[in-house]
Amino acid sequence: MSTFSIESLHLQDDDPSAQAQDLDNEYDTDFDTESDDNAEAHTEMSTADVYLQACRLLGVVPVSCFIRNLDSTTLTLTHYGLGPLGCKALAIALVTDMHINTLELADNHIQAEGAKYLGEMLKANFTVRHLDVSNNSLQSAGAEYVAKMLLENISLKSIKVSGNGFDGDDAKCLANALSSNSRIKELDLSHNKFSGKGGEYLGQLLANNEGLEVLDMSWNHLRMKGAVAFCAGLKVNMMLKHLDLSWNGFGNEGALAMGEALKFNNTLVFLNLNNNRLTNEGVSMLCRGLEFNDALRVLLLAYNSITVEGALALVELVKNTAKTALEEINICNVLVNETFVHLLEETCQEHPGLDVQYGGVGGFIAKKPPKRVDPMKIIQDYLDQRKLRLWDFFRNIDKDGTMHVPVADFRKAVQQSSIPLERYQIEELILRLDRDGTGIVDYRGLADTRKQMMRDHRRQLRKVESRQKKEKQKSERILKTFQSAVEAVTPHGSLVLSPGAAREDPGGLQPFSATPLSSWHHVLMSSSSRYSVANLSSERVHLPPLGRPSSSPAARRRSQPDLLDGAARSALSKSISALGVRSDPDMGFRRLSPAANHLTVSRPALNPTQPPATAKKVRKKKKKASKQTK
């Protein structure tokens, strides 16, 4: 047996008693040591004395929580920052302790060295049953000490080593240690980095271990290959009951392997597959395995890519499988439809213990319960429709007209009448009319219902009027903003003149018209020769009517005023002639008519002898023409 004790601390000191006295005078602790004058003398040092002396020799600050909880069976020292030396002092004190069976040391940064000291302590201590060393930065060196601890200790029942940075290679030594240790019932390996390689070793662990019942493997990046290997080990395991595989990215490949494992595994009762990238296809693969499983009771599939189709597949599985043991299905992020709700109701009639947690119906996160109608309002409406008074209705049981009747008579009268009230509504009505529980109903409260209904109706009308007024004001503001935006982005010179706007505007600009631009495009493209320089120079130009030609005199007299003055006409004539556009001399000075000029006249061709001018030359010639006109 190991001699892990105070004597194992090798400190160089010529006078240990003097050094202990000096440390006692200068040492600062987080608790006050009580005097032991009245205490009984002991031949051996107590656990507290051993711990204090170990802290003095190692130069660490004692933790008062440890001293206060020595008589308790659970010692919780999480987030105390013990470090490796603090863990060593604690391990020395626990070598001979016979009370503590649960030791929680999570988040203390004990590192691999601290795990070594705990392993030495557990060789001599057979009282500790549950050990938590999560989030202590053990890394690969610490994994070796944990594996050695699992091989040598015979008392541990559960161990938590979550969040210690273990990788795939570390999974090998842990799997080898646990394969020969059937005493460990609960194991927490979550928040490590086992990945695919670690999944293969841990799959072998499941295949060989015969004692593990609870396993937490969440947040370990098992993914495809690791998930398949892990499920292969689960297929032959006959002891595991609780398995957490959330946040591992199984995907549909892992779902297929899990479905195959569930066909043969009949011991697993809890399975957590939340956040594993499963789709409806993966759910279908799981259902194929669950058809042959009669042990699984809880299935968690929340926060996967599952829609209402996958939800329907799960409920249909429970409905169509007589030997299924499923009692809880969690798909709390899935929005379902009415078909799913009806199917679930039918299934719950056959399996009353089934509980399915889903997100909502019809796109709503929570389905609002139907609003209950006020029973007093139902009675008042019933009386109004038949033009009855309250006393007329209750006069058979209220002979004196005091509006006070016994509860039994009131209940009997309402039930025998044709008032559409349910049983719970009648009881609710009795509680409201007999608040003091005297057994006498004062039905005068029903008379106030009419007034309250009128007040509620007027209040609702005022709300509707106020809402309509606000909507109207909002619409007006939006229209005004839109109009100002249109005016800001629309230039004043880009207004389109309607072909039918023939009257002259004294201001020089024609009024805006909503005539489509396509009509102008048709006119210009079909009879472009009419808008030559010669035609524009004439005083009035007759426009042909759109559509079928007409021979009526009124149609021939339709004309358009000259839109250009003399200066603008000459400038435009020069610019057009510079472009090489040839006008028709025969149509230059004679009046146009629909008979003489049909709409099918083609556009005049460019002068073949003169090369086309470039854009720069055209702009220069326009500038010269404008200077000459000035």
Side-chain angles (χ1 to χ4, degrees):
M1 183 177 293
S2 175
T3 59
F4 186 66
S5 61
I6 294 178
E7 289 77 8
S8 66
L9 301 177
H10 301 287
L11 299 177
Q12 296 180 357
D13 189 9
D14 297 336
D15 190 1
S17 61
Q19 183 185 16
Q21 185 177 0
D22 294 338
L23 288 172
D24 190 18
N25 295 332
E26 298 177 0
Y27 202 72
D28 185 16
T29 65
D30 61 342
F31 59 90
D32 295 330
T33 306
E34 299 179 355
S35 62
D36 297 331
D37 296 338
N38 298 328
E40 296 181 357
H42 295 281
T43 57
E44 296 182 0
M45 296 177 62
S46 64
T47 304
D49 295 336
V50 173
Y51 177 65
L52 290 175
Q53 188 172 354
C55 290
R56 291 190 186 99
L57 294 175
L58 292 172
V60 296
V61 179
V63 179
S64 61
C65 182
F66 174 67
I67 304 297
R68 292 194 302 267
N69 292 277
L70 281 176
D71 295 333
S72 175
T73 58
T74 301
L75 178 60
T76 303
L77 296 178
T78 57
H79 318 297
Y80 271 87
L82 296 177
L85 294 180
C87 183
K88 184 175 184 179
L90 184 67
I92 292 173
L94 291 176
V95 168
T96 58
D97 182 80
M98 303 299 293
H99 295 90
I100 298 173
N101 59 22
T102 301
L103 182 59
E104 298 180 358
L105 300 175
D107 191 20
N108 275 289
H109 199 66
I110 65 174
Q111 303 179 20
E113 186 179 355
K116 176 184 177 182
Y117 299 141
L118 290 176
E120 293 291 333
M121 180 268 294
L122 290 173
K123 289 181 181 179
N125 186 304
F126 301 104
T127 308
V128 178
R129 298 285 188 270
H130 311 283
L131 177 64
D132 184 2
V133 288
S134 301
N135 302 304
N136 273 294
S137 301
L138 301 185
Q139 305 301 329
S140 298
E144 296 179 0
Y145 289 120
V146 171
K148 186 177 180 182
M149 182 192 309
L150 295 173
L151 285 173
E152 297 176 349
N153 183 267
I154 60 173
S155 62
L156 282 178
K157 299 297 181 182
S158 68
I159 182 171
K160 296 181 179 180
V161 287
S162 171
N164 279 297
F166 298 157
D167 55 19
D169 295 327
D170 301 332
K172 183 177 181 181
C173 62
L174 293 173
N176 292 333
L178 288 168
S179 296
S180 58
N181 187 338
S182 60
R183 294 176 297 276
I184 297 293
K185 302 299 180 183
E186 298 182 12
L187 177 63
D188 185 358
L189 295 173
S190 61
H191 290 83
N192 285 296
K193 304 175 183 178
F194 291 128
S195 66
K197 187 176 182 181
E200 297 178 8
Y201 292 123
L202 294 173
Q204 298 175 6
L205 162 66
L206 289 181
N208 299 325
N209 186 275
E210 297 179 355
L212 198 61
E213 296 180 358
V214 178
L215 178 60
D216 189 351
M217 284 292 300
S218 59
W219 292 89
N220 268 297
H221 315 286
L222 296 183
R223 306 290 168 82
M224 298 168 53
K225 188 176 180 181
V228 172
F230 188 86
C231 293
L234 180 65
K235 178 180 179 179
V236 297
N237 184 278
M238 296 301 171
M239 293 298 296
L240 197 65
K241 296 180 180 179
H242 189 290
L243 179 59
D244 188 349
L245 291 171
S246 58
W247 295 92
N248 272 298
F250 264 40
N252 292 336
E253 295 82 1
L256 176 60
M258 180 59 69
E260 291 295 321
L262 291 175
K263 287 182 179 180
F264 302 91
N265 186 295
N266 288 317
T267 58
L268 196 67
V269 297
F270 179 95
L271 178 59
N272 188 349
L273 292 175
N274 292 341
N275 288 282
N276 267 296
R277 304 179 183 177
L278 304 184
T279 63
N280 295 332
E281 183 181 358
V283 172
S284 300
M285 297 173 181
L286 276 177
C287 292
R288 295 172 190 170
L290 290 172
E291 291 177 355
F292 304 92
N293 189 285
D294 57 356
L296 190 66
R297 298 180 181 178
V298 180
L299 178 61
L300 308 184
L301 293 171
Y303 307 108
N304 287 291
S305 301
I306 301 175
T307 63
V308 65
E309 297 178 2
L312 286 170
L314 290 170
V315 178
E316 288 176 353
L317 163 72
V318 178
K319 182 180 179 181
N320 299 329
T321 306
K323 66 176 184 177
T324 183
L326 277 175
E327 297 177 355
E328 180 181 347
I329 300 176
N330 190 334
I331 47 174
C332 61
N333 64 307
V334 180
L335 297 179
V336 299
N337 53 21
E338 295 295 337
T339 304
F340 174 87
V341 175
H342 295 322
L343 179 62
L344 180 60
E345 291 177 355
E346 295 177 0
T347 307
C348 288
Q349 293 177 0
E350 302 176 3
H351 302 269
L354 180 64
D355 180 20
V356 180
Q357 303 174 18
Y358 53 88
V361 180
F364 295 96
I365 299 302
K367 188 176 182 181
K368 295 183 179 180
K371 186 178 179 180
R372 291 186 175 181
V373 182
D374 191 350
M376 299 180 73
K377 183 178 182 300
I378 295 176
I379 293 180
Q380 189 64 52
D381 293 341
Y382 174 84
L383 297 175
D384 291 342
Q385 291 176 1
R386 288 160 178 77
K387 297 180 180 180
L388 296 175
R389 297 176 300 174
L390 283 172
W391 188 81
D392 295 335
F393 183 76
F394 293 104
R395 62 184 174 181
N396 293 330
I397 56 177
D398 186 14
K399 303 296 183 181
D400 301 332
T402 59
M403 291 192 173
H404 290 78
V405 296
V407 171
D409 296 340
F410 179 83
R411 183 186 292 111
K412 184 178 180 181
V414 174
Q415 289 177 350
Q416 292 179 352
S417 66
S418 57
I419 302 177
L421 286 176
E422 300 291 340
R423 185 176 183 84
Y424 72 90
Q425 290 178 322
I426 297 175
E427 298 302 326
E428 180 183 353
L429 186 61
I430 292 173
L431 290 175
R432 293 174 63 177
L433 298 177
D434 184 19
R435 297 182 183 273
D436 299 332
T438 59
I440 301 298
V441 171
D442 183 3
Y443 62 88
R444 286 179 298 181
L446 296 173
D448 299 332
T449 306
R450 183 68 179 176
K451 298 178 181 179
Q452 185 64 33
M453 289 170 55
M454 296 300 297
R455 286 195 294 267
D456 294 341
H457 181 67
R458 286 194 295 268
R459 190 182 299 110
Q460 188 68 22
L461 287 178
R462 287 196 296 270
K463 288 183 180 180
V464 172
E465 291 176 358
S466 176
R467 184 169 60 252
Q468 291 177 351
K469 184 178 180 181
K470 290 181 180 179
E471 291 178 353
K472 183 178 180 181
Q473 292 176 354
K474 183 179 179 180
S475 301
E476 291 177 354
R477 287 196 302 269
I478 294 174
L479 288 175
K480 193 175 295 184
T481 305
F482 175 76
Q483 292 174 358
S484 60
V486 170
E487 292 176 359
V489 301
T490 305
H492 294 288
S494 62
L495 297 177
V496 181
L497 298 180
S498 173
R503 66 178 186 275
E504 297 182 2
D505 189 359
L509 293 175
Q510 296 293 334
F512 179 80
S513 175
T515 304
L517 294 176
S518 58
S519 59
W520 275 99
H521 176 75
H522 173 73
V523 173
L524 294 175
M525 294 301 296
S526 60
S527 56
S528 58
S529 61
R530 295 184 179 85
Y531 300 99
S532 60
V533 177
N535 293 338
L536 293 175
S537 62
S538 62
E539 183 176 357
R540 303 179 71 85
V541 179
H542 294 278
L543 290 176
L546 297 177
R548 170 183 267 177
S550 176
S551 58
S552 63
R556 295 192 185 96
R557 286 196 296 272
R558 292 178 182 174
S559 61
Q560 181 178 356
D562 192 3
L563 301 178
L564 301 175
D565 54 2
R569 232 183 359 258
S570 60
L572 184 60
S573 176
K574 291 180 180 180
S575 61
I576 293 176
S577 61
L579 294 173
V581 179
R582 180 173 59 87
S583 60
D584 192 352
D586 297 334
M587 300 178 63
F589 300 99
R590 59 189 179 87
R591 299 176 66 86
L592 300 175
S593 64
N597 299 281
H598 197 264
L599 291 176
T600 58
V601 177
S602 61
R603 182 178 179 180
L606 297 175
N607 189 359
T609 60
Q610 184 178 359
T614 61
K616 292 183 178 179
K617 292 181 179 180
V618 171
R619 286 197 294 269
K620 290 180 180 179
K621 291 181 179 180
K622 286 183 178 180
K623 290 181 180 179
K624 291 181 181 180
S626 62
K627 290 180 181 179
Q628 292 176 2
T629 54
K630 292 180 180 179

mmCIF file of all heavy atoms in Angstrom, residues 1 24 108 118 161 192 211 287 298 320 329 335 399 448 460 469 549:
data_model
loop_
_atom_site.group_PDB
_atom_site.id
_atom_site.type_symbol
_atom_site.label_atom_id
_atom_site.label_comp_id
_atom_site.label_asym_id
_atom_site.label_seq_id
_atom_site.Cartn_x
_atom_site.Cartn_y
_atom_site.Cartn_z
ATOM 1 N N MET A 1 0.853 -1.193 0.000
ATOM 2 C CA MET A 1 0.000 0.000 0.000
ATOM 3 C C MET A 1 0.885 1.238 0.000
ATOM 4 O O MET A 1 1.922 1.296 0.649
ATOM 5 C CB MET A 1 -0.935 -0.007 1.212
ATOM 6 C CG MET A 1 -1.901 1.176 1.234
ATOM 7 S SD MET A 1 -3.029 1.071 2.653
ATOM 8 C CE MET A 1 -3.969 -0.384 2.165
ATOM 9 N N ASP A 24 3.150 29.347 10.990
ATOM 10 C CA ASP A 24 1.914 29.543 11.726
ATOM 11 C C ASP A 24 1.712 31.004 12.081
ATOM 12 O O ASP A 24 0.578 31.510 12.083
ATOM 13 C CB ASP A 24 1.936 28.680 12.984
ATOM 14 C CG ASP A 24 0.570 28.658 13.671
ATOM 15 O OD1 ASP A 24 -0.409 29.019 12.984
ATOM 16 O OD2 ASP A 24 0.490 28.294 14.856
ATOM 17 N N ASN A 108 -10.907 23.507 -11.033
ATOM 18 C CA ASN A 108 -9.902 23.897 -10.040
ATOM 19 C C ASN A 108 -8.489 23.930 -10.610
ATOM 20 O O ASN A 108 -7.544 24.190 -9.871
ATOM 21 C CB ASN A 108 -9.938 22.937 -8.843
ATOM 22 C CG ASN A 108 -10.977 23.326 -7.820
ATOM 23 O OD1 ASN A 108 -10.839 24.309 -7.104
ATOM 24 N ND2 ASN A 108 -12.052 22.546 -7.762
ATOM 25 N N LEU A 118 -4.648 12.528 -6.781
ATOM 26 C CA LEU A 118 -5.946 11.912 -6.496
ATOM 27 C C LEU A 118 -5.885 10.397 -6.692
ATOM 28 O O LEU A 118 -6.489 9.626 -5.934
ATOM 29 C CB LEU A 118 -7.031 12.518 -7.386
ATOM 30 C CG LEU A 118 -7.419 13.961 -7.087
ATOM 31 C CD1 LEU A 118 -8.422 14.453 -8.111
ATOM 32 C CD2 LEU A 118 -7.999 14.087 -5.684
ATOM 33 N N VAL A 161 -15.113 13.390 -16.133
ATOM 34 C CA VAL A 161 -13.887 13.997 -16.654
ATOM 35 C C VAL A 161 -14.223 14.874 -17.857
ATOM 36 O O VAL A 161 -13.506 14.900 -18.862
ATOM 37 C CB VAL A 161 -12.850 12.913 -17.019
ATOM 38 C CG1 VAL A 161 -12.262 12.301 -15.772
ATOM 39 C CG2 VAL A 161 -13.479 11.841 -17.904
ATOM 40 N N ASN A 192 -15.134 16.965 -24.843
ATOM 41 C CA ASN A 192 -13.745 16.663 -25.167
ATOM 42 C C ASN A 192 -13.578 16.673 -26.686
ATOM 43 O O ASN A 192 -14.458 17.167 -27.401
ATOM 44 C CB ASN A 192 -13.334 15.323 -24.555
ATOM 45 C CG ASN A 192 -13.122 15.423 -23.050
ATOM 46 O OD1 ASN A 192 -12.231 16.120 -22.579
ATOM 47 N ND2 ASN A 192 -13.959 14.723 -22.282
ATOM 48 N N GLY A 211 -20.467 -3.181 -17.316
ATOM 49 C CA GLY A 211 -20.996 -2.555 -16.109
ATOM 50 C C GLY A 211 -21.540 -1.161 -16.317
ATOM 51 O O GLY A 211 -22.356 -0.680 -15.526
ATOM 52 N N CYS A 287 -36.665 5.330 -37.311
ATOM 53 C CA CYS A 287 -37.950 4.647 -37.124
ATOM 54 C C CYS A 287 -37.885 3.190 -37.571
ATOM 55 O O CYS A 287 -38.556 2.324 -36.984
ATOM 56 C CB CYS A 287 -39.049 5.390 -37.881
ATOM 57 S SG CYS A 287 -39.440 7.022 -37.200
ATOM 58 N N VAL A 298 -37.475 7.242 -23.847
ATOM 59 C CA VAL A 298 -37.303 8.683 -24.058
ATOM 60 C C VAL A 298 -36.400 8.883 -25.263
ATOM 61 O O VAL A 298 -35.277 8.349 -25.304
ATOM 62 C CB VAL A 298 -36.700 9.368 -22.818
ATOM 63 C CG1 VAL A 298 -36.526 10.862 -23.072
ATOM 64 C CG2 VAL A 298 -37.577 9.133 -21.591
ATOM 65 N N ASN A 320 -48.484 2.622 -34.957
ATOM 66 C CA ASN A 320 -48.526 1.352 -35.689
ATOM 67 C C ASN A 320 -47.695 0.253 -35.040
ATOM 68 O O ASN A 320 -47.762 -0.896 -35.492
ATOM 69 C CB ASN A 320 -48.042 1.569 -37.124
ATOM 70 C CG ASN A 320 -48.909 2.561 -37.875
ATOM 71 O OD1 ASN A 320 -50.103 2.658 -37.623
ATOM 72 N ND2 ASN A 320 -48.307 3.305 -38.791
ATOM 73 N N ILE A 329 -41.221 12.030 -26.567
ATOM 74 C CA ILE A 329 -40.513 12.422 -27.789
ATOM 75 C C ILE A 329 -40.407 13.938 -27.780
ATOM 76 O O ILE A 329 -41.417 14.631 -27.687
ATOM 77 C CB ILE A 329 -41.254 11.951 -29.062
ATOM 78 C CG1 ILE A 329 -41.389 10.429 -29.061
ATOM 79 C CG2 ILE A 329 -40.526 12.412 -30.303
ATOM 80 C CD1 ILE A 329 -42.198 9.889 -30.221
ATOM 81 N N LEU A 335 -42.449 22.962 -36.076
ATOM 82 C CA LEU A 335 -43.801 23.489 -36.232
ATOM 83 C C LEU A 335 -44.629 22.469 -37.009
ATOM 84 O O LEU A 335 -44.237 22.023 -38.086
ATOM 85 C CB LEU A 335 -43.775 24.823 -36.980
ATOM 86 C CG LEU A 335 -43.025 25.966 -36.289
ATOM 87 C CD1 LEU A 335 -43.065 27.213 -37.140
ATOM 88 C CD2 LEU A 335 -43.616 26.239 -34.924
ATOM 89 N N LYS A 399 -90.459 32.893 -5.240
ATOM 90 C CA LYS A 399 -91.840 33.333 -5.082
ATOM 91 C C LYS A 399 -91.920 34.747 -4.515
ATOM 92 O O LYS A 399 -92.807 35.527 -4.889
ATOM 93 C CB LYS A 399 -92.588 32.369 -4.158
ATOM 94 C CG LYS A 399 -92.576 30.920 -4.624
ATOM 95 C CD LYS A 399 -93.309 30.735 -5.935
ATOM 96 C CE LYS A 399 -93.347 29.280 -6.354
ATOM 97 N NZ LYS A 399 -94.049 29.084 -7.650
ATOM 98 N N ASP A 448 -76.515 43.270 -13.898
ATOM 99 C CA ASP A 448 -75.433 44.196 -14.233
ATOM 100 C C ASP A 448 -74.673 43.783 -15.479
ATOM 101 O O ASP A 448 -73.853 44.546 -15.990
ATOM 102 C CB ASP A 448 -74.458 44.279 -13.061
ATOM 103 C CG ASP A 448 -75.146 44.792 -11.800
ATOM 104 O OD1 ASP A 448 -76.129 45.545 -11.945
ATOM 105 O OD2 ASP A 448 -74.685 44.430 -10.697
ATOM 106 N N GLN A 460 -65.143 49.167 -27.312
ATOM 107 C CA GLN A 460 -64.603 48.536 -28.519
ATOM 108 C C GLN A 460 -64.799 49.411 -29.743
ATOM 109 O O GLN A 460 -63.910 49.502 -30.609
ATOM 110 C CB GLN A 460 -65.289 47.174 -28.725
ATOM 111 C CG GLN A 460 -64.679 46.322 -29.827
ATOM 112 C CD GLN A 460 -63.293 45.847 -29.475
ATOM 113 O OE1 GLN A 460 -62.924 45.798 -28.305
ATOM 114 N NE2 GLN A 460 -62.512 45.510 -30.483
ATOM 115 N N LYS A 469 -58.670 55.958 -37.624
ATOM 116 C CA LYS A 469 -58.154 57.319 -37.788
ATOM 117 C C LYS A 469 -56.641 57.318 -37.909
ATOM 118 O O LYS A 469 -56.064 58.010 -38.766
ATOM 119 C CB LYS A 469 -58.601 58.172 -36.608
ATOM 120 C CG LYS A 469 -58.197 59.632 -36.723
ATOM 121 C CD LYS A 469 -58.722 60.422 -35.534
ATOM 122 C CE LYS A 469 -58.315 61.896 -35.651
ATOM 123 N NZ LYS A 469 -58.808 62.684 -34.481
ATOM 124 N N PRO A 549 -58.159 54.916 -91.127
ATOM 125 C CA PRO A 549 -58.249 56.258 -91.745
ATOM 126 C C PRO A 549 -59.702 56.651 -91.916
ATOM 127 O O PRO A 549 -60.573 55.840 -92.221
ATOM 128 C CB PRO A 549 -57.535 56.096 -93.079
ATOM 129 C CG PRO A 549 -56.708 54.862 -92.943
ATOM 130 C CD PRO A 549 -57.441 53.973 -92.006
#
